[in-house]
């Protein structure tokens, strides 16, 4: 017997906007080097304390330095000029019997290079040997204000590096199926800073969870790395925009990672989802980056690859490898970790990481290994990275932003960024809480394990996560349409983009054309259809000029 699959034929049209205020390109990494206890930034030359999902140049290993990656024979990412390495924790499902099972990753990773700047700023590329981390694997609490206030009112702890880093995480509930009346509006990126519980994921996130991480983009201009792997970088005052602290005056491209996990395959099974570092809250999500672009390609791309589509194919500097080639690229597994079972472990998480729920930080077993501080010299291949001197700590509080002037409703704040087009696998971003006025605050957020950091309305959150904006009258469920029939386009998202002194109003409409196809049971085709069903949304972007 076969089963019927509804395929939504899609096409994408993007209005041409000249002189967009901000540009970007997104780097697809459709393959995976592997899922291994490897982290040469934090745990140099030894197995890392927890498992990561690894993308990029295949020279990545336990003792890899950024310069080593340039000798990679292949990469799991699309652009041939880039052999950089990108990695984040893996996501596991903890069964009731204690077995840890790796959740399947969908579509690899998307690494965005967002070219955000403030007035009179010029983007600089990363220096040779550059590496950094974002996030804190030991964090188990959220100490910023809830509900999150408008960015225009952030001050004090909200603009400290600790506060900004906590808000640089996102857990985006994906639900792409048509409800017969259109498609549910996607959630904004960085709109939820914690991992939803399994009950919510089962009920609402039928296409899985997209985990997001925004890296700091303010550089001290001197150090390619630092002893804590963070201090040479800092967040601007609005995480994805705003001003850099005086201690870190140079602006780099803003790195933004997206990974999608098929949590829905565990629907109705008893257990919970946990990050590989023993974190069930999501507050301890983190990521690493080692820079290994060839020559001056990235420096040129910062000023050349500005097509508003964000597609790598629209940048003339890039040579693209096929998705098949990306998926074939694998790293060589070091002998010292070959015995570690990373896909399914009967004795808990790989590395025997305990599950720590907080709100106190996780124990020091996950502290970064100390690295020696020595005078600048060319490092030995088998030694830990050297540091000229510790990088200066970033200013605790960024410069205060001027109060925004009153303006007609719908007009952009100067710091607000345009939303972008969705990726075929469900990647794409429209950042929550832009620089201007924000939507009404949610009445409740998920209470944290062991401590209600979201005080107001916690009881309501037990049944429904308001951050997902799910309309109960439009619960997910496929409804067959007439063969070849079309539904009228319906706006599902709007935004405004500043261009050449004008404000462009943009409306995204969804049209669907339903076609009946028969897919055999238990075949790879059926699985591929499940993973790429949102590829077939029919999105049209229409723009008209608004205020001058």
């Amino acid at each position: 017997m076969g089963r019927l699959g509804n395929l939504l034929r899609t096409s994408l049209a993007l209005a041409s906007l000249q002189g967009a205020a901000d540009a970007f390109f997104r780097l697809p990494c459709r393959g995976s080097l592997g899922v291994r206890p490897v982290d040469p930034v934090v745990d140099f030359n030894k197995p890392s304390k927890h498992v990561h999902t690894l993308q990029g140049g295949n020279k990545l290993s336990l003792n890899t330095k950024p310069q080593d990656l340039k000798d990679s024979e292949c990469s799991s990412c699309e652009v041939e000029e880039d052999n950089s390495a990108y990695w984040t924790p893996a996501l596991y499902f903890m069964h009731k019997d204690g077995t840890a099972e790796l959740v399947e990753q969908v579509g690899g990773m998307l690494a965005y290079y967002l070219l955000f700047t403030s007035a009179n700023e010029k983007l600089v590329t990363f220096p040779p040997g550059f590496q950094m981390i974002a996030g804190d694997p030991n964090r188990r609490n959220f100490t910023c204000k809830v509900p999150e206030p408008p960015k225009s009112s952030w001050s004090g702890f909200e603009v400290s590096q600790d506060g900004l880093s906590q808000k640089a995480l996102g857990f985006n509930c994906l639900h792409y199926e048509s409800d017969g009346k259109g498609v549910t509006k996607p959630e904004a990126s960085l709109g939820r800073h914690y991992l939803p519980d399994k009950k919510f994921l089962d009920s609402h996130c039928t296409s899985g969870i997209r985990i997001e991480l925004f890296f700091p983009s303010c550089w001290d201009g001197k150090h390619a790395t630092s002893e804590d792997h963070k201090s040479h970088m800092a967040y601007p005052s609005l995480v994805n925009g705003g001003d850099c602290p005086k201690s870190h005056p140079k602006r780099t491209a803003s790195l933004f990672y997206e990974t999608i996990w098929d949590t829905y395959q565990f629907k109705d099974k008893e257990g919970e989802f946990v990050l590989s570092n023993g974190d069930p809250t999501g507050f301890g999500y983190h990521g690493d980056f080692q820079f290994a672009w060839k020559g001056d390609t990235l420096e040129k791309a910062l000023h050349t690859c500005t097509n508003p589509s964000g597609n790598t194919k629209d940048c003339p500097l890039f040579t693209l490898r096929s998705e098949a080639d990306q998926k074939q690229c694998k790293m060589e597994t070091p002998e010292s970790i070959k015995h570690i079972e990373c896909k399914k472990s009967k004795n808990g998480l790989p590395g025997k990481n305990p599950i720590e729920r907080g709100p106190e930080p996780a124990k020091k077993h996950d502290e970064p290994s100390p690295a020696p501080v020595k005078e600048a010299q060319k490092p030995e291949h088998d030694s830990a990275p050297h540091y000229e001197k510790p990088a200066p700590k970033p200013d605790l509080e960024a410069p205060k932003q001027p109060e925004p002037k009153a303006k007609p409703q719908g007009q952009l704040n100067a710091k607000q960024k345009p939303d972008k087009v969705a990726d075929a696998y469900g990647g794409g971003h429209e950042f929550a809480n832009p620089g201007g006025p924000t939507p009404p605050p949610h009445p409740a957020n998920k209470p944290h394990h062991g401590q209600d950091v979201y005080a107001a309305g916690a009881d309501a959150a037990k049944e429904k996560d308001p951050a997902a904006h799910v309309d109960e009258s439009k619960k997910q469920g496929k409804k067959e349409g007439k063969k070849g029939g079309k539904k009228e386009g319906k706006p599902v998202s709007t935004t405004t983009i500043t261009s050449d002194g004008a404000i462009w109003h943009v409306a995204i409409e969804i049209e669907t054309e339903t076609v009946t196809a028969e897919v055999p049971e238990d075949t790879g085709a059926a699985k591929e259809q499940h993973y790429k069903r949102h590829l077939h949304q029919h999105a049209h972007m229409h723009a008209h000029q608004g205020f001058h």
Side-chain angles (χ1 to χ4, degrees), residues 174-195:
L174 302 180
H175 37 81
Y176 291 105
E177 293 87 345
S178 171
D179 59 7
K181 298 179 181 179
V183 177
T184 305
K185 180 181 178 180
E187 295 180 7
S189 297
L190 305 184
R192 180 193 291 104
H193 306 306
Y194 61 87
L195 178 64

Side-chain angles (χ1 to χ4, degrees), residues 92-99 196-199 201-202 266-274 355 357:
Y92 282 84
F93 181 71
M94 299 298 300
H95 291 271
K96 188 177 180 181
D97 65 359
T99 298
D197 62 26
K198 188 173 185 297
K199 181 179 179 181
L201 290 169
D202 283 359
F266 297 96
K267 185 180 186 299
D268 297 330
K269 294 184 179 180
E270 290 190 67
E272 65 176 333
F273 293 103
V274 180
I355 296 176
R357 304 178 185 279

Side-chain angles (χ1 to χ4, degrees), residues 9 69 176 192 215 261 301 333 339 356 370 502:
R9 291 181 176 174
L69 291 167
Y176 291 105
R192 180 193 291 104
F215 279 75
W261 301 90
T333 303
H339 67 285
E356 298 177 87

Side-chain angles (χ1 to χ4, degrees), residues 50-126:
H50 53 268
V51 165
H52 295 94
T53 175
L54 309 159
Q55 276 83 18
N58 73 331
K59 284 296 183 181
L60 182 63
S61 193
L62 297 176
N63 60 354
T64 300
K65 299 183 182 128
Q67 57 267 32
D68 300 328
L69 291 167
K70 293 185 178 181
D71 296 327
S72 297
E73 293 89 6
C74 65
S75 171
S76 63
C77 301
E78 185 179 54
V79 175
E80 291 189 5
E81 288 76 15
D82 178 31
N83 281 332
S84 302
Y86 312 83
W87 64 91
T88 62
L91 183 66
Y92 282 84
F93 181 71
M94 299 298 300
H95 291 271
K96 188 177 180 181
D97 65 359
T99 298
E101 182 176 353
L102 181 67
V103 180
E104 191 151 5
Q105 195 171 343
V106 182
M109 170 190 278
L110 278 181
Y112 286 78
Y113 283 75
L114 301 164
L115 313 183
F116 293 165
T117 59
S118 292
N120 302 318
E121 275 188 329
K122 181 180 179 181
L123 286 176
V124 299
T125 190
F126 302 110

